[in-house]
Amino acid sequence: MTEPLKETAEEPPRRKFGAAQIQITAFILIVAIGSAGFRVLHDHHLQQTAALYIGLPTLIAVALTLSRPAKDPYMMILKAISIVLLLSAPLLGEGFICILMISPLFYAIGLLVVIVVQSLKKRHNDKLSLSALILVPVLLMSAEGVWQSTTLPDKQESSATRTVAAAPEDVARALATPLAFDADHLPFYLSLGFPRPIASTGGELIPGMRQAVEFAGAAKRPAFEHSHHWGTNPTQLTFEVAESSPGHLKLRAVQDDTPIATWVHWNDAEISWKSVGENRTEITWTLHFDRKLAPAWYFGPWESYGVSKAADYLLHSLVIPQ
């Protein structure tokens, strides 16, 4: 006789940790590393240097490309950088405008690194050594602003000129009175999230007298004269009359507790005006400042353009008697 067959419980098939799961896990880890890198740079006060704006996207791009991502590494890097930027947004007190300014640089550096690494991977097997060669110039670029020896000259100036239907003495009186800020005439670029000027003080144009511009739209930052003070809206940028003569006025910045101080250190403002015809006066407003963001080749033009728009808006805000 044959023995009856014994029922045996079949073991459930083991789930394999396949390539797709590895790719997703690697993606999550790399995004986490990128966000952690953002936090570390921020905590060490390097968020204004090229270490953040060039070094971090390079790190993300190289890590993603070498981790054998999905078939389209370009979309992967775009997604990873987008997530890192969004996760890091709470660290940026200015929010939208900061993301708007840095995202083109992040995406460009990330895609450039992926293109180079992918090209080398197709031709060579030793990916790590080749990628290290790519990192050398990028790391050198990432050092800008980190140390004094790797910091490029940061002094800049921007100006704007307008011709108004007024006599030179009318312009002098207007410079001694509060500015009339009109939100409807605020340049589009300055309306993207920058603090908005809402009021100003006037005063005699004699050395030592102070004039202040009040801003709305963001929390206070450490001021020049009160470096440990933080507060809430409104914020102020204060100038002091340094020189005053017919047709010329120089204002020296003495205090800035606005978020603008994160990107720009104001030095002084020079206003000059001259008659160019009967009851017509040409006014030039020049702002001298130190750029506080690196790399210079990227943020220099951004800041120069923004400051020139600010100078033009200040000219527009002068209350000129007609």
Side-chain angles (χ1 to χ4, degrees):
M1 294 181 65
T2 58
E3 295 183 1
L5 296 174
K6 294 182 179 180
E7 293 184 2
T8 57
E10 293 184 2
E11 293 185 3
R14 295 182 180 177
R15 294 187 63 183
K16 295 182 178 180
F17 199 66
Q21 286 82 1
I22 294 175
Q23 290 165 4
I24 293 173
T25 303
F27 180 81
I28 294 172
L29 288 174
I30 291 166
V31 168
I33 291 171
S35 299
F38 203 116
R39 168 67 73 175
V40 169
L41 291 170
H42 185 275
D43 290 345
H44 286 79
H45 308 291
L46 297 175
Q47 70 272 25
Q48 297 164 312
T49 69
L52 172 63
Y53 302 116
I54 294 179
L56 187 60
T58 299
L59 172 66
I60 297 171
V62 170
L64 267 176
T65 309
L66 296 180
S67 65
R68 297 183 179 274
K71 293 182 179 179
D72 191 347
Y74 304 101
M75 286 305 299
M76 288 284 284
I77 189 62
L78 291 177
K79 289 179 182 178
I81 287 178
S82 298
I83 294 172
V84 169
L85 288 173
L86 292 173
L87 290 176
S88 305
L91 294 176
L92 305 173
E94 296 68 58
F96 175 72
I97 186 60
C98 278
I99 297 296
L100 183 67
M101 288 179 66
I102 69 177
S103 56
L105 182 59
F106 265 59
Y107 291 130
I109 294 295
L111 290 174
L112 177 63
V113 171
V114 171
I115 290 171
V116 175
V117 174
Q118 285 290 102
S119 175
L120 292 175
K121 281 173 67 175
K122 292 178 181 177
R123 300 179 185 179
H124 303 277
N125 293 323
D126 192 357
K127 296 175 291 188
L128 289 176
S129 61
L130 289 169
S131 298
L133 291 176
I134 299 170
L135 287 177
V136 171
V138 176
L139 288 174
L140 292 175
M141 293 174 62
S142 302
E144 184 183 344
V146 177
W147 300 284
Q148 189 64 36
S149 59
T150 60
T151 300
L152 297 178
D154 54 9
K155 294 194 177 299
Q156 295 184 219
E157 68 174 61
S158 294
S159 62
T161 300
R162 284 193 176 212
T163 300
V164 297
E169 53 268 25
D170 294 327
V171 172
R173 282 193 290 269
L175 289 168
T177 59
L179 298 171
F181 296 116
D182 184 354
D184 293 335
H185 290 90
L186 189 67
F188 174 74
Y189 178 74
L190 299 182
S191 68
L192 293 176
F194 290 101
R196 180 172 55 86
I198 55 175
S200 75
T201 61
E204 293 184 78
L205 302 181
I206 57 176
M209 293 297 293
R210 293 191 174 188
Q211 297 184 347
V213 179
E214 192 172 279
F215 290 80
K220 283 187 178 181
R221 295 302 170 90
F224 289 175
E225 298 178 331
H226 308 285
S227 59
H228 299 292
H229 175 70
W230 287 73
T232 56
N233 292 338
T235 58
Q236 283 192 344
L237 169 61
T238 304
F239 287 89
E240 182 179 273
V241 176
E243 300 174 12
S244 181
S245 60
H248 180 260
L249 177 66
K250 184 175 182 179
L251 304 172
R252 179 175 56 250
V254 293
Q255 179 174 329
D256 185 3
D257 56 23
T258 76
I260 299 171
T262 305
W263 319 310
V264 169
H265 175 88
W266 299 111
N267 293 319
D268 55 63
E270 289 194 78
I271 305 102
S272 59
W273 59 100
K274 62 181 180 180
S275 175
V276 290
E278 186 177 355
N279 207 43
R280 291 183 65 79
T281 303
E282 181 184 87
I283 317 171
T284 298
W285 199 308
T286 302
L287 293 167
H288 298 92
F289 62 97
D290 295 338
R291 171 187 46 79
K292 296 182 70 175
L293 298 176
W297 59 265
Y298 182 77
F299 287 109
W302 272 96
E303 295 194 8
S304 180
Y305 177 75
V307 173
S308 68
K309 288 297 181 183
D312 186 67
Y313 184 58
L314 290 169
L315 285 175
H316 178 83
S317 302
L318 284 173
V319 181
I320 302 292
Q322 300 296 322

